[in-house]
Amino acid sequence: MERLKEAVVKFDVDAVKEACNDALQQKIPPYEIVTEGMARGMQIIGEKYEKGEFFLSELIMAGETMKEGMKIIEPYLRAVGKSGKGQVVLGTVEGDLHDIGKNIVASLLRGSGFGVADLGADVPSKKFVEEAEKSNAQIVGMSALLTTTMVKMADTTKALVEAGIRNRLKVILGGAPIDSAYATKIGADAAANDAIDGVSICRKWTGLS
Ligand code: B1M
């Protein structure tokens, strides 16, 4: 895990791939490879950015580096899934391009048997509503990593109310700046601390736990 973390911080894609494969061979659980390895590297990148040691270009390189590692880990995250146990509409809110955490949530949900309509990043409220109507979703999940974009979660929750479908579905929020107090404030049903927590909340809602 230490090697993996260091490789992310050095943007060393080959070393990331090698460390991911080694970790899988050593039977380290895939989610742990993400959270205890690559995500710890991302944490350091974020700290260096805050201190002014790194700039936007380094954030981009870090994102691309972790995505290469995720290509190896993702099939193992979603290994056991069959869809049909619950339909989730998932996306990163409008104005926000951070999608690595949201993609992990999508893989874990699929691995737990949920059907997931992943709308990607920078998703306007209208699109969440349209997809929730179309797919008759039980859950709408939103991700935000920026304090400036988390307000879009409130807009989307309001849009679900205005469309008359809020009562028949649950709304879950996730991402670093989000907590339960914010979820309550904007009328969402829950905030997830991390991807595992998010999946476990969705499982409870759909009677899968
Ligand atoms: Co950005 N960025 N970034 N960035 N970036 C952060 C978020 C930041 C904290 C860095 C810092 O200053 N320390 C900071 C935000 C500050 C703030 O708002 N308070 C920041 C900034 C400022 C910016 C820009 C504004 C920089 C600029 O342009 N000057 C810009 C904004 C662009 C935009 O979105 N409009 C920007 C851009 C980018 C990149 C595009 C270059 C790139 C993202 C690439 C991508 O995602 N495709 C990027 C990156 C890589 C980061 C950091 C370094 C890493 C994020 C990450 O992927 N973490 C990040 C620093 C950090 O987080 N420490 C930072 C790993 C990932 C596994 O964790 O996403 O938290 P996370 O997901 C977790 C949980 O949060 C949870 O589960 C996941 C796994 O446990 N979760 C959910 C997430 N969504 C969930 C949904 C759920 C449930 C759980 O249910 C629905």
Side-chain angles (χ1 to χ4, degrees):
M1 291 303 92
E2 198 58 29
R3 242 173 69 208
L4 187 49
K5 182 183 87 180
E6 303 269 308
V8 168
V9 176
K10 288 183 184 153
F11 320 113
D12 187 339
V13 173
D14 290 339
V16 165
K17 286 181 181 170
E18 202 183 301
C20 282
N21 283 319
D22 286 354
L24 286 171
Q25 261 182 3
Q26 287 172 34
K27 306 269 179 260
I28 297 176
Y31 186 69
E32 217 171 283
I33 300 174
V34 174
T35 55
E36 301 303 314
M38 287 188 279
R40 292 212 185 271
M42 294 303 246
Q43 191 65 39
I44 294 172
I45 302 282
E47 285 160 13
K48 285 183 179 289
Y49 177 80
E50 270 172 24
K51 284 190 217 151
E53 289 172 28
F54 277 177
F55 300 95
L56 182 59
S57 49
E58 277 88 359
L59 290 184
I60 295 170
M61 286 195 288
E64 293 306 311
T65 306
M66 180 157 173
K67 280 195 170 180
E68 290 301 313
M70 284 309 299
K71 281 185 196 162
I72 294 171
I73 305 299
E74 240 165 32
Y76 295 87
L77 287 177
R78 67 168 82 175
V80 291
K82 267 196 197 146
S83 62
K85 291 181 178 171
Q87 185 64 28
V88 184
V89 171
L90 187 67
T92 302
V93 296
E94 188 170 15
D96 200 322
L97 302 175
H98 297 85
D99 66 353
I100 296 173
K102 184 266 301 163
N103 293 344
I104 295 169
V105 177
S107 297
L108 286 178
L109 281 171
R110 289 191 179 115
S112 297
F114 286 90
V116 180
D118 185 349
L119 303 178
D122 190 17
V123 181
S125 302
K126 200 170 152 237
K127 209 166 159 201
F128 277 105
V129 173
E130 279 169 5
E131 186 57 39
E133 280 173 334
K134 196 174 100 194
S135 61
N136 203 20
Q138 286 104 314
I139 298 170
V140 170
M142 289 179 264
S143 182
L145 265 284
L146 299 171
T147 45
T148 47
T149 56
M150 57 194 273
V151 291
K152 293 289 174 186
M153 294 172 151
D155 294 352
T156 304
T157 309
K158 198 167 155 227
L160 292 167
V161 173
E162 284 165 3
I165 56 171
R166 175 68 183 92
N167 288 341
R168 68 154 176 83
L169 49 75
K170 297 278 193 187
V171 175
I172 182 166
L173 315 179
I178 308 305
D179 60 18
S180 310
Y182 185 67
T184 308
K185 185 177 157 199
I186 67 164
D189 296 294
N193 296 323
D194 55 33
I196 293 273
D197 186 36
V199 173
S200 125
I201 293 169
C202 293
R203 285 172 67 92
K204 275 194 202 120
W205 282 341
T206 48
L208 290 175
S209 61

